[in-house]
Amino acid sequence: MNPYGYFSKDDHEFVITRPDTPAPWVNYLTNGRYTALLSHTGGGYSFFVSPRDSRITRWRYNSLPVDRPGRYLYLRERKSGHFWSPTWQPTCVQLDAYSCRHGLNYSRILSGHEGVEAELLYFVGEDDLELCKFRFRNKLEQPRQFDLFASVELCLGHALVDLINQPNDQHFNEVLFDAGAQVLFATKRYWVTFSGATVKQANQAWDHWAFMASSLPVIGFDGSRSEFIGRWRSEENPLAVEEGRCRNSAITSGDAVGVLQCPLELPPGQWVEGVILLGVVPKEQGREAALALVQKYRDLSEVDRQFARLGEHWEEYLSHCQARTPVTEVDRMVNVWNPYQVQTTFQFSRSASYYHGGLLFGRGYRDSCQDQYGPLKARSEQVKERILEMSRYGLRDGSVYHLYYPLTGGGERTGHSDTPLWFPLSVTSYLKETGDWGLLKIETPYADEGKGTIYEHLMGNIRYVLAHLSSRHLPLFGPGDWNDTLDYLGRQGRGESVMSAGILCYVLRETARMLERLGRTKDAEALEERRRQIADSVNEHCWDGRWYIRGTRDDGGVIGSSRCDEGQIFLNAQSWMVIGDVASPERALAAMDAARQLLDTPKGPKILHPAYTRIDPGIGLATRCVPGKKENGAVFNHAVAWAILAESLLGRSEIAFDYYTKALPFNPVVEPDRYEVEPYVYAEYVTSPDHPTFGQASHSWLTGSAVWMLRDVTEHILGIQPDYEGLRIQPCVPAGWKEYRVQRKFRGAQYDIRVAIPEGRGGTVKRVVVDGAALSGPVLPLAKPGSTVQVEVEVG
Ligand code: GLC
């Protein structure tokens, strides 16, 4: 039991029952352009498209008190002057009742204090604005008069510049109030878009107006933070709220806020409702565009209609894959939270969370390629768009950018050994799910010169990697592979990555399978030949006796070997030799057994063991990190997900399911207070027993772990795998399961699949019956779009 909350009966909401959780527990509100991160106490920031370039509101990293500022309400009773926040923060006045229900792109915060019940519903509209629909009810017997203050702290443009150059940046802020329309407007008359500390900046203004309005009458406003808060105060006790009177401060310089003061009469017993709006419009459309939106959304029935549509959107989204298994925790993840997290991760890459400040890296190429699995079932058109976008960050020689900035363009090329390899995987996954072979023919420009089809981009990536192998046919480590923190063992061009060899082998196999379907048998055979050569080399040079080494170093040394003092065994080097079909059956079992024996913890297998206690400059950052955290020996969920995949491929259902269960985010192992982060989404890593804070998790929400965990459970545990010819059925469920069902939409048809395991164990598909007719193999043929197919599977 989690002392801070529980999942609602239908699993569509996580209900937080007290505000003082160990860390802010966050949700994402978004329409794909306008995004608000919202914590369970009203904290968080908003941005338009890019969290770095077009930040609307501020959020203070490293803030004390934590999680400030946010979108805050203050209720002040006129008679007594007493005020509080129905989200608890920032006044932190104790509430008689409190709960926060995080749902799919919406949150509700319900609270009570001093005889006033409050219900706040937050979501982002179809237009680019966030809404807080509120209802208040006075439970006392006499009418009462309040002022409602709604406040946000504005950033208005480039968030990093705002953070590090505020004394100068504030001179371009402008906040004004349109008294006739009762709308507050804010913008910045300058907009930094070039990255880095450079004086070469474009001569331009931020291209948006932010606006704020309410459906209640507005009797006061503030645009100046110092006027609203007062001297030597904070969000906890703004002078304007304390005195019950906004200063009506418009500004042309200084720190900007948006504050509206609305009188609120609460008759006894009745609900009084309204809405607070915060949004943006492009400057070129003028402020009139905002006024039209304000008018539209002041109509609460429009707000309700849009909220209903948001719910319908998610119902439809989730309907693409629904499972009913003997384990409710599996259903919860497969049916709701895992698809929700992967869609969020797809949208925001590693750029906008409470752990990724949205200031630095733009979109990671490898991350984004993997993230594309997220919306593939339900929103393949978004994946197609992303594939096309990313192809433009590939160069003519087949190398790719390592990260890029979708809004402003540009990025960084680094030479990580694995990065180009993920693009072919996202393309083949897309083809298997959709059958949309036309994708391969679409032409897009290379980042340097000329253009090529997606097919050419993809083959270029593979050619590039194959052209940069060591003399032993192994991928060169370069400045890192998937593990970014093994960053100083291969910079001189000699170190080799065994993990990248595994990924490469997998990609070559997948690409060869694609080529066969294109009738390019010779090309497919050529890739398969290269695959064998690489696999042979790994087996010849990289087998350590009981497991595979992780790589070689520029200086000729090895990592991940029993000969090393520390970092003797790495999980990824074992899993990927199974996934890439490098290991023989005996070595595969031995390697995964060694991993289980040496790496497993109560929260699943660690990324490596023993953790590095001494800094090794010839390896890099992994050894500088404290033992037990991050890439230095944590339970790194991304790697755990690959171990689950490898164990499933080996048919070891008990181990696969054991790892899967341990990794579930609501399984904190030590205790929720130690785990700290949200129990409804995967975190990047959990601290291993190698550190005194064993069990502490971090970097929740945006992580490739979520993507691979979903793949593990749907494709490899439940065993419903999209393939070129149809859905392949290959279950690997734990003993004791007798039956489960999966409803899966695939290429426009609906498959209702019932898997029976009469003996309660065994992993071989014995019989598949489709609409009454027995099949000869485990692949469900394609059905007519729009049709529903009944599938009975027997496993024994
Ligand atoms: C983080 C990065 C990812 C990297 C991994 C391991 O998850 O986003 O790109 O592969 O760490 O270093």
Side-chain angles (χ1 to χ4, degrees):
M1 282 298 283
N2 191 308
Y4 299 98
Y6 59 90
F7 288 93
S8 64
K9 252 215 169 81
D10 65 0
D11 278 327
H12 282 228
E13 291 180 335
F14 188 84
V15 187
I16 300 164
T17 49
R18 39 190 288 191
D20 56 341
T21 52
W25 287 1
V26 177
N27 198 6
Y28 285 77
L29 321 177
T30 185
N31 61 12
R33 300 176 307 272
Y34 188 108
T35 300
L37 272 76
L38 177 74
S39 77
H40 69 294
T41 62
Y45 57 93
S46 304
F47 58 92
F48 181 70
V49 182
S50 162
R52 188 191 63 170
D53 302 287
S54 217
R55 187 73 69 99
I56 300 161
T57 64
R58 276 182 175 163
W59 188 74
R60 268 181 277 287
Y61 309 88
N62 315 325
S63 165
L64 274 182
V66 294
D67 189 20
R68 298 263 180 105
R71 31 194 91 66
Y72 292 138
L73 296 180
Y74 304 86
L75 265 175
R76 178 182 186 278
E77 183 153 21
R78 286 203 173 153
K79 203 158 105 197
S80 63
H82 177 66
F83 65 92
W84 73 95
S85 299
T87 53
W88 188 58
Q89 282 244 62
T91 58
C92 297
V93 170
Q94 194 173 351
L95 301 167
D96 309 328
Y98 166 89
S99 65
C100 168
R101 307 179 77 96
H102 281 323
L104 304 170
N105 286 154
Y106 73 88
S107 295
R108 281 181 200 279
I109 298 178
L110 315 176
S111 68
H113 179 69
E114 290 278 307
V116 177
E117 256 180 279
E119 289 188 16
L120 312 172
L121 167 66
Y122 297 88
F123 69 102
V124 165
E126 292 164 4
D127 300 290
D128 296 326
L129 79 185
E130 60 187 278
L131 302 113
C132 170
K133 187 181 174 206
F134 56 79
R135 308 210 293 160
F136 298 111
R137 189 162 73 112
N138 166 14
K139 295 203 293 186
L140 305 191
E141 268 150 28
Q142 57 284 48
R144 295 159 75 191
Q145 283 80 40
F146 293 85
D147 282 290
L148 176 68
F149 295 83
S151 85
V152 291
E153 189 168 333
L154 296 164
C155 177
L156 310 171
H158 198 291
L160 183 56
V161 174
D162 176 61
L163 192 69
I164 61 182
N165 197 23
Q166 180 275 349
N168 295 320
D169 209 44
Q170 48 119 355
H171 291 113
F172 308 96
N173 284 343
E174 192 178 347
V175 185
L176 55 94
F177 186 67
D178 178 334
Q182 304 212 312
V183 178
L184 180 138
F185 284 98
T187 193
K188 188 168 269 143
R189 291 143 53 120
Y190 182 46
W191 189 25
V192 168
T193 45
F194 292 162
S195 56
T198 169
V199 289
K200 280 190 297 179
Q201 290 296 342
N203 190 6
Q204 63 186 1
W206 186 43
D207 58 350
H208 279 82
W209 279 107
F211 63 92
M212 193 175 173
S214 171
S215 59
L216 297 180
V218 177
I219 55 162
F221 74 95
D222 271 308
S224 158
R225 186 179 77 172
S226 53
E227 290 289 326
F228 174 64
I229 300 281
R231 290 184 190 164
W232 304 101
R233 287 167 174 261
S234 75
E235 301 97 339
E236 189 176 341
N237 57 351
L239 188 61
V241 176
E242 203 170 281
E243 293 183 349
R245 179 176 65 80
C246 273
R247 271 37 185 181
N248 295 339
S249 55
I251 61 164
T252 51
S253 72
D255 286 307
V257 289
V259 181
L260 303 176
Q261 178 179 356
C262 306
L264 189 66
E265 299 269 337
L266 296 184
Q270 287 168 34
W271 286 104
V272 173
E273 57 180 14
V275 67
I276 306 284
L277 308 170
L278 172 67
V280 287
V281 286
K283 251 184 201 148
E284 64 200 23
Q285 289 179 14
R287 299 209 297 261
E288 303 72 43
L291 299 183
L293 290 179
V294 168
Q295 206 176 0
K296 177 172 168 187
Y297 285 87
R298 272 181 181 151
D299 173 2
L300 297 183
S301 60
E302 174 65 24
V303 174
D304 293 342
R305 208 169 50 78
Q306 293 209 13
F307 183 62
R309 271 209 242 137
L310 179 67
E312 287 159 19
H313 158 86
W314 275 106
E315 279 309 313
E316 196 287 324
Y317 188 100
L318 298 177
S319 73
H320 288 255
C321 182
Q322 289 287 300
R324 229 172 52 232
T325 75
V327 182
T328 52
E329 286 83 358
V330 171
D331 298 358
R332 170 182 299 154
M333 290 314 272
V334 172
N335 298 344
V336 187
W337 288 92
N338 207 167
Y340 180 41
Q341 183 177 7
V342 296
Q343 172 66 26
T344 308
T345 298
F346 171 79
Q347 278 175 299
F348 303 111
S349 190
R350 308 299 171 272
S351 72
S353 75
Y354 268 38
Y355 306 89
H356 307 90
L359 300 174
L360 295 175
F361 295 136
R363 186 176 280 159
Y365 188 95
R366 82 152 75 87
D367 292 333
S368 198
C369 285
Q370 294 170 72
D371 296 348
Q372 288 176 35
Y373 180 77
L376 192 50
K377 292 191 207 73
R379 294 291 179 271
S380 61
E381 66 290 346
Q382 290 179 7
V383 175
K384 181 173 188 170
E385 208 178 290
R386 181 71 63 82
I387 289 175
L388 297 178
E389 172 183 302
M390 297 193 65
S391 70
R392 298 187 189 102
Y393 292 89
L395 289 93
R396 212 183 167 76
D397 67 359
S399 63
V400 298
Y401 273 73
H402 187 65
L403 58 95
Y404 67 97
Y405 296 97
L407 189 68
T408 52
E412 237 181 273
R413 296 172 61 192
T414 57
H416 282 70
S417 68
D418 65 312
T419 311
L421 290 173
W422 300 103
F423 186 74
L425 275 192
S426 54
V427 173
T428 50
S429 301
Y430 173 85
L431 293 177
K432 288 193 225 172
E433 180 70 35
T434 63
D436 173 18
W437 291 89
L439 173 79
L440 293 179
K441 301 207 180 88
I442 299 177
E443 265 196 346
T444 59
Y446 290 108
D448 46 353
E449 43 159 352
K451 44 190 180 171
T453 61
I454 295 300
Y455 176 82
E456 286 161 349
H457 280 279
L458 176 165
M459 294 305 285
N461 290 8
I462 292 178
R463 227 185 10 257
Y464 180 86
V465 176
L466 288 176
H468 290 81
L469 302 180
S470 70
S471 57
R472 307 195 300 181
H473 312 292
L474 298 175
L476 293 172
F477 225 118
D481 61 9
W482 170 85
N483 189 332
D484 283 324
T485 63
L486 299 176
D487 49 352
Y488 278 89
L489 50 78
R491 286 184 183 244
Q492 287 153 35
R494 286 188 294 277
E496 299 157 319
S497 164
V498 174
M499 177 180 182
S500 289
I503 301 173
L504 176 58
C505 285
Y506 180 65
V507 169
L508 291 174
R509 168 75 48 86
E510 286 294 303
T511 310
R513 292 190 71 223
M514 178 195 84
L515 290 173
E516 281 161 19
R517 267 74 180 180
L518 289 171
R520 295 176 179 261
T521 323
K522 278 228 164 71
D523 294 339
E525 274 164 15
L527 289 193
E528 197 40 53
E529 183 50 39
R530 292 302 299 271
R531 203 195 74 78
R532 265 192 303 274
Q533 190 181 43
I534 295 158
D536 287 349
S537 175
V538 171
N539 279 308
E540 186 182 338
H541 303 294
C542 307
W543 180 248
D544 194 56
R546 286 176 62 206
W547 60 81
Y548 290 95
I549 63 166
R550 180 63 174 80
T552 61
R553 309 161 40 138
D554 284 335
D555 62 13
V558 295
I559 60 164
S561 158
S562 52
R563 285 170 282 156
C564 304
D565 293 339
E566 306 190 311
Q568 292 177 338
I569 175 169
F570 284 67
L571 184 58
N572 285 323
Q574 319 320 317
S575 312
W576 273 100
M577 294 321 106
V578 177
I579 301 168
D581 196 19
V582 172
S584 64
E586 303 75 53
R587 282 192 177 178
L589 292 178
M592 293 310 292
D593 279 345
R596 187 158 173 78
Q597 204 185 342
L598 297 169
L599 298 173
D600 200 19
T601 77
K603 187 63 188 162
K606 303 188 287 186
I607 194 168
L608 64 85
H609 178 82
Y612 293 100
T613 58
R614 289 185 298 278
I615 291 169
D616 184 338
I619 295 178
L621 195 64
T623 69
R624 295 182 185 274
C625 180
V626 291
K629 289 196 181 272
K630 279 273 202 184
E631 286 97 333
N632 189 13
V635 177
F636 207 91
N637 276 323
H638 206 140
V640 173
W642 287 325
I644 297 169
L645 173 54
E647 292 291 2
S648 310
L649 292 174
L650 294 175
R652 302 209 290 183
S653 53
E654 302 310 315
I655 303 177
F657 199 69
D658 175 51
Y659 288 166
Y660 179 76
T661 312
K662 285 171 170 171
L664 289 169
F666 39 82
N667 177 9
V669 176
V670 177
E671 53 181 10
D673 280 303
R674 173 56 66 76
Y675 187 78
E676 290 188 2
V677 303
E678 298 90 335
Y680 40 89
V681 287
Y682 288 101
E684 181 198 76
Y685 79 88
V686 183
T687 309
S688 77
D690 297 343
H691 191 272
T693 60
F694 168 45
Q696 185 182 50
S698 191
H699 292 59
S700 54
W701 269 110
L702 306 182
T703 159
S705 326
V707 172
W708 287 94
M709 291 290 185
L710 185 60
R711 201 164 198 157
D712 286 342
V713 65
T714 54
E715 294 189 16
H716 298 282
I717 295 177
L718 303 181
I720 316 290
Q721 304 171 359
D723 208 342
Y724 296 105
E725 285 77 30
L727 282 177
R728 179 182 298 277
I729 313 287
Q730 199 169 348
C732 186
V733 297
W737 284 30
K738 293 236 154 148
E739 185 192 277
Y740 64 94
R741 287 164 188 267
V742 179
Q743 292 185 310
R744 173 73 152 87
K745 289 185 182 152
F746 183 66
R747 311 254 189 117
Q750 166 86 31
Y751 293 78
D752 287 351
I753 305 167
R754 182 176 154 265
V755 180
I757 314 139
E759 308 291 321
R761 61 169 50 251
T764 315
V765 174
K766 291 260 158 75
R767 230 162 73 89
V768 182
V769 179
V770 176
D771 283 340
L775 289 190
S776 55
V779 181
L780 309 180
L782 295 179
K784 229 176 60 223
S787 64
T788 300
V789 186
Q790 302 296 335
V791 183
E792 299 281 334
V793 180
E794 197 182 310
V795 173

